[in-house]
Amino acid sequence: MRCFIAIDLPEEIKKEIAKIQKQLPDFKGKLTEKDNLHLTLKFLGEISDEQVNNIKEKLEKIKFNKFKAKLGGAGIFSENFIRIVWLELENCDKLQKETDEKLKDLFKKEERFMSNLTIARVKSTKDKKLFIEALRKIQVKPSEFEVQGFALKKSTLTEKGPFYEDIARFNFY
């Protein structure tokens, strides 16, 4: 099964992101559905049921206090090849590093973790330069929320897009 580890977002943050998505410049592609918005801490890829149990055991050892995360600015990975529009999610790096550390015997550590969530997938734009200029003008309302845990998730790819379901949840103190 195709799996990843993620932080889910509360409803009020998802609503704020939906407002930001409405401000995106014109493009051909797809907005991330509200129910699929999350921060991926680690993508695991295709794993077996046996690996799932081993991963759950290791993730249960993460002892973390609840913490505040905050929406940051919008951006893209490459101005030459615009495919993903993301929002930064500040203050999640320590949890990602701890996740990486607990799973280091099973998976390669992330070389460059960038705490962001995908809000749109772009197939094409009429004018890259205008798209980038418009994207930079988007004002992200400072929105903060308490991260109370994370989840090991299964991703099923369908014709209508991905469908995510929790395999296990890990709550903080």
Side-chain angles (χ1 to χ4, degrees):
M1 69 186 90
R2 190 171 187 259
C3 294
F4 62 97
I5 299 165
I7 294 174
D8 289 317
L9 306 173
E11 205 56 38
E12 67 270 11
I13 295 296
K14 289 180 181 181
K15 286 178 183 172
E16 195 55 42
I17 293 169
K19 290 178 192 172
I20 295 164
Q21 288 174 317
K22 288 177 183 164
Q23 297 177 55
L24 290 176
D26 191 38
F27 71 93
K28 285 188 179 162
K30 188 174 185 242
L31 297 175
T32 303
E33 295 87 359
K34 193 172 85 160
D35 289 340
N36 285 350
L37 290 166
H38 65 273
L39 171 69
T40 300
L41 294 168
K42 188 163 190 70
F43 181 72
L44 305 176
E46 291 290 332
I47 60 174
S48 67
D49 289 341
E50 184 179 300
Q51 284 175 298
V52 166
N53 291 330
N54 198 357
I55 291 164
K56 286 196 303 194
E57 281 178 26
K58 291 185 180 296
L59 293 177
E60 284 169 358
K61 294 178 182 165
I62 293 177
K63 303 299 178 207
F64 228 78
N65 291 321
K66 295 176 186 175
F67 63 92
K68 298 278 187 193
K70 180 181 167 187
L71 287 182
I76 54 177
F77 292 115
S78 166
E79 291 187 4
N80 297 324
F81 195 67
I82 301 170
R83 288 292 172 254
I84 302 288
V85 179
W86 48 258
L87 279 180
E88 184 180 8
L89 192 59
E90 299 172 5
N91 204 25
C92 298
D93 295 42
K94 287 180 184 174
L95 177 58
Q96 193 285 325
K97 282 182 178 37
E98 184 67 17
T99 304
D100 244 357
E101 183 61 31
K102 293 294 187 229
L103 297 176
K104 70 182 178 189
D105 298 340
L106 303 173
F107 299 94
K108 186 177 161 202
K109 284 189 174 186
E110 299 294 324
E111 290 177 24
R112 292 182 330 177
F113 175 71
M114 188 178 155
S115 187
N116 66 75
L117 44 111
T118 300
I119 62 169
R121 295 185 184 279
V122 178
K123 287 188 179 169
S124 66
T125 61
K126 286 181 182 168
D127 185 324
K128 285 183 197 177
K129 190 175 177 188
L130 289 176
F131 183 90
I132 293 164
E133 285 173 15
L135 187 62
R136 288 186 177 137
K137 291 177 184 171
I138 292 175
Q139 296 294 311
V140 177
K141 177 181 153 194
S143 302
E144 198 174 68
F145 67 98
E146 186 175 69
V147 177
Q148 299 179 5
F150 63 98
L152 173 60
K153 293 181 172 285
K154 175 182 171 182
S155 171
T156 305
L157 301 178
T158 70
E159 288 178 9
K160 294 180 181 178
F163 172 73
Y164 304 137
E165 60 185 296
D166 289 355
I167 295 173
R169 292 209 53 79
F170 305 92
N171 296 314
F172 300 145
Y173 301 99

